[in-house]
Amino acid sequence: MNDISVIIPIYNEESNLDELYNRLEKSVLKVSSNYEILFINDGSIDNSLEKIKEFAGKNKNVRYLSFSRNFGHQIAISAGIDKCSGDTVIIIDGDLQDPPELIPDLYKKHKEGYNVVYAKRKTRKGENLFKKITAKFFYRILSKITSVNIPLDTGDFRLIDDKILKSLKLMPEKHKFIRGQISWLGFKQTFIEYDRDSRKHGETKFTYRKMMNFAIDGITSFSAFPLKIVTFLGFIVSLFSLIVILYAIYSRFILDRVITGWTSLIISTMFIGGVQLLSIGIIGEYISRINNEVKNRPLYIVEEDNIDMKL
Ligand code: UDP
Ligand code: MG
């Protein structure tokens, strides 16, 4: 058993890895010499894996797990959670946006009796306006429509203890939204604040599509609000239709007007069509997630690792 494990998802970060490793090792040694640095190589196509193996060759505390392809950031972290051997776990990004120097501070706070210490971004540098705005918007909406209190302006950079670790392993969902799951668990959670740097080298690995999927996972995993909106819309539209139907009957039989109302006809057809498509889409998002759960495929496939090597 290690005192502390550091989990780092890595997807094409070769230009950051040397600095990351050096800074991490220095920082984590301040906490304990009985540590583990666990790299999860999420199907990198650059030299990341070779670099990681190099570190593992010279430091027996470095362990790695390499996926057979790119499975995604949240899944990489989940694999780390499955395989780490530490009592206390740090989750950190591999692009140096999360400064490793914060680890002793996270640990100190944990020693005051907290099960989760997350790092909250005071500022975020080097991210484009679109990302900042969408992120801000998303987390605020999410906190409005979910019953869990997911902290604003935090990523996955945090410390979790053995209790959280054990409980996380009991959550078998396939669509991971780890920061939400951790909030959902409860226990004693707190935060420290920091200024988020820009990524050292390379570009963000989060395409807009990945961001979008991540956002939908977050919402569907923790809220039925979109479904409630659908129900509400259905209700309102039906009510409105009823009025229009009554008017149509009235106008046919009482006013004896037969061929009028092309405009209202086209508007109502388009409107109801739009609402239906939107609703089916939202329901579809939930169903596709149920489908994935039912398929019950493994979350990731490991191609190689050095996890079982004796420390
Ligand atoms: N990452 C990963 N798999 C992916 C995308 C990203 O393991 O499919 C890793 C990436 O190497 C980095 C961390 O997740 O260590 C955060 O990614 P990134 O910095 O690109 O995200 P951003 O900070 O732009 O949200
Ligand atoms: Mg980043």
Side-chain angles (χ1 to χ4, degrees), residues 13 93 95-97 127 131 196 199 204-206:
E13 303 285 3
D93 276 356
D95 60 353
L96 292 165
Q97 280 198 289
E127 279 163 350
K131 177 145 187 174
R196 184 155 165 100
R199 147 187 276 287
T204 174
K205 306 298 180 315
F206 266 84

Side-chain angles (χ1 to χ4, degrees), residues 36-311:
E36 159 193 67
I37 297 180
L38 176 52
F39 289 101
I40 293 90
N41 175 39
D42 185 14
S44 301
I45 46 173
D46 64 357
N47 278 324
S48 296
L49 183 60
E50 282 65 36
K51 278 225 174 300
I52 292 168
K53 284 183 180 167
E54 222 175 84
F55 304 148
K58 55 185 188 198
N59 180 350
K60 65 177 176 41
N61 296 323
V62 174
R63 303 208 290 161
Y64 66 88
L65 191 77
S66 184
F67 287 171
S68 58
R69 63 170 173 84
N70 180 247
F71 280 88
H73 172 247
Q74 295 289 299
I75 295 183
I77 294 175
S78 305
I81 287 169
D82 289 344
K83 306 286 170 153
C84 69
S85 65
D87 242 358
T88 307
V89 175
I90 306 272
I91 303 169
I92 189 168
D93 276 356
D95 60 353
L96 292 165
Q97 280 198 289
D98 306 331
E101 290 70 25
L102 236 57
I103 292 174
D105 299 337
L106 292 172
Y107 199 72
K108 212 172 101 204
K109 207 77 190 169
H110 160 61
K111 284 288 156 203
E112 289 171 18
Y114 293 98
N115 307 90
V116 179
V117 187
Y118 54 88
K120 193 173 161 94
R121 304 155 183 166
K122 247 193 318 197
T123 56
R124 44 203 297 174
K125 267 186 247 160
E127 279 163 350
N128 69 35
L129 199 63
F130 180 76
K131 177 145 187 174
K132 279 187 197 168
I133 291 174
T134 46
K136 209 177 170 110
F137 199 58
F138 170 67
Y139 285 108
R140 270 142 193 92
I141 291 197
L142 194 65
S143 76
K144 285 259 176 327
I145 65 175
T146 54
S147 46
V148 260
N149 215 351
I150 299 167
L152 299 176
D153 303 316
T154 47
D156 288 311
F157 184 25
R158 61 187 64 207
L159 175 152
I160 57 179
D161 75 354
D162 52 332
K163 284 196 185 119
I164 297 284
L165 200 64
K166 226 185 275 159
S167 316
L168 266 182
K169 289 182 186 165
L170 297 177
M171 298 176 85
E173 57 236 58
K174 307 282 178 204
H175 289 268
K176 299 285 184 190
F177 190 69
I178 292 164
R179 57 199 75 165
Q181 290 179 263
I182 292 176
S183 303
W184 182 89
L185 285 172
F187 294 101
K188 284 181 81 179
Q189 311 207 0
T190 189
F191 63 91
I192 59 175
E193 280 188 317
Y194 77 111
D195 295 304
R196 184 155 165 100
D197 281 333
S198 38
R199 147 187 276 287
K200 265 281 146 91
H201 299 283
E203 283 179 356
T204 174
K205 306 298 180 315
F206 266 84
T207 55
Y208 289 127
R209 209 180 87 204
K210 277 187 182 170
M211 261 167 65
M212 190 72 196
N213 278 331
F214 182 56
I216 299 178
D217 279 343
I219 292 173
T220 52
S221 301
F222 289 96
S223 170
F225 184 75
L227 289 175
K228 291 195 179 119
I229 294 245
V230 166
T231 314
F232 179 72
L233 273 178
F235 194 69
I236 295 290
V237 170
S238 310
L239 201 70
F240 187 71
S241 306
L242 186 70
I243 295 170
V244 175
I245 289 166
L246 289 178
Y247 173 74
I249 293 172
Y250 173 75
S251 120
R252 169 68 185 82
F253 291 106
I254 313 285
L255 301 179
D256 214 16
R257 261 193 266 152
V258 183
I259 314 177
T260 52
W262 181 83
T263 313
S264 57
L265 189 66
I266 203 82
I267 289 175
S268 53
T269 312
M270 298 303 271
F271 180 64
I272 294 176
V275 168
Q276 281 174 341
L277 280 183
L278 177 76
S279 309
I280 292 171
I282 290 175
I283 297 166
E285 288 293 342
Y286 282 86
I287 293 181
S288 89
R289 279 161 179 76
I290 298 172
N291 185 35
N292 274 339
E293 298 293 336
V294 172
K295 276 192 279 187
N296 202 17
R297 288 185 183 154
L299 206 52
Y300 49 85
I301 301 293
V302 176
E303 188 168 353
E304 57 172 307
D305 66 63
N306 72 344
I307 293 293
D308 294 327
M309 272 179 44
K310 275 274 154 286
L311 290 172

